[in-house]
Amino acid sequence: MYVNLSDGESSMSKGGKQSSDIFDIDRLRMIVELMEEHELSEVDLQQGDEKIKLNRGSAAPVYMPAAAAPAPAAAAAPAAAAAATPAANANTITIDAPMIGTFYSRANPESEPFVKVGQRVTEDTIVCIVEAMKVFNEIPAECSGTVVEILVGDQQPVDFGKPMFRIDPNA
């Protein structure tokens, strides 16, 4: 969607005052709400020589997966996690997503996963990458233990606070 408002067009800001600034914070909030309502991922705005591009959600990955077949198998992991009994999870720690973005289990399609079930991790072990706004953020375990379960499939979206890994600190 491309929106081009001329310099002469004005809008009402929150206080009822006329505003010709497309980059007014109230207008930007309204545009973000419209993006959410209509499930738009990107909007380009231009007013005179000023331009702004709004992105919501995750962008397309920088690399393409080597094979598309493993994705459905990886998607089954969260379903298996839901079926696990609460008693089995009582002595575990979860590593939660620190931001909204796209989960990557490996640095690139040819690389081995950062961690596997049964692998021992320390506080500094990189367990995954979460891509947010085209920035690839390495996520450290921040705890020590053994990976018991990987709760997110590769290239799946994650929300802030969503559990990504289950770690047994006693194993």
Side-chain angles (χ1 to χ4, degrees), residues 6-61:
S6 66
D7 290 332
E9 185 175 334
S10 64
S11 67
M12 296 294 285
S13 65
K14 196 171 187 177
K17 182 179 175 184
Q18 288 286 333
S19 171
S20 63
D21 186 9
I22 193 169
F23 305 113
D24 173 56
I25 192 71
D26 292 328
R27 178 172 272 180
L28 291 175
R29 284 185 180 137
M30 178 190 69
I31 292 168
V32 169
E33 288 174 10
L34 287 170
M35 289 174 68
E36 290 172 354
E37 181 180 330
H38 297 286
E39 297 183 18
L40 300 174
S41 60
E42 183 177 299
V43 174
D44 290 329
L45 302 170
Q46 179 176 348
Q47 182 176 8
D49 293 334
E50 297 180 22
K51 297 178 184 180
I52 190 169
K53 184 177 195 176
L54 300 175
N55 288 309
R56 121 178 220 284
S58 61

Side-chain angles (χ1 to χ4, degrees), residues 18 56 63 100 106 113 146 149 171:
Q18 288 286 333
R56 121 178 220 284
Y63 65 88
I100 296 172
R106 53 187 78 212
T146 302
E149 193 172 12

Side-chain angles (χ1 to χ4, degrees), residues 71-116:
T85 62
N89 299 333
N91 296 326
T92 61
I93 301 169
T94 59
I95 299 174
D96 300 333
M99 64 195 73
I100 296 172
T102 303
F103 174 91
Y104 291 99
S105 63
R106 53 187 78 212
N108 63 55
E110 294 80 33
S111 298
E112 289 294 315
F114 288 105
V115 295
K116 297 177 183 177

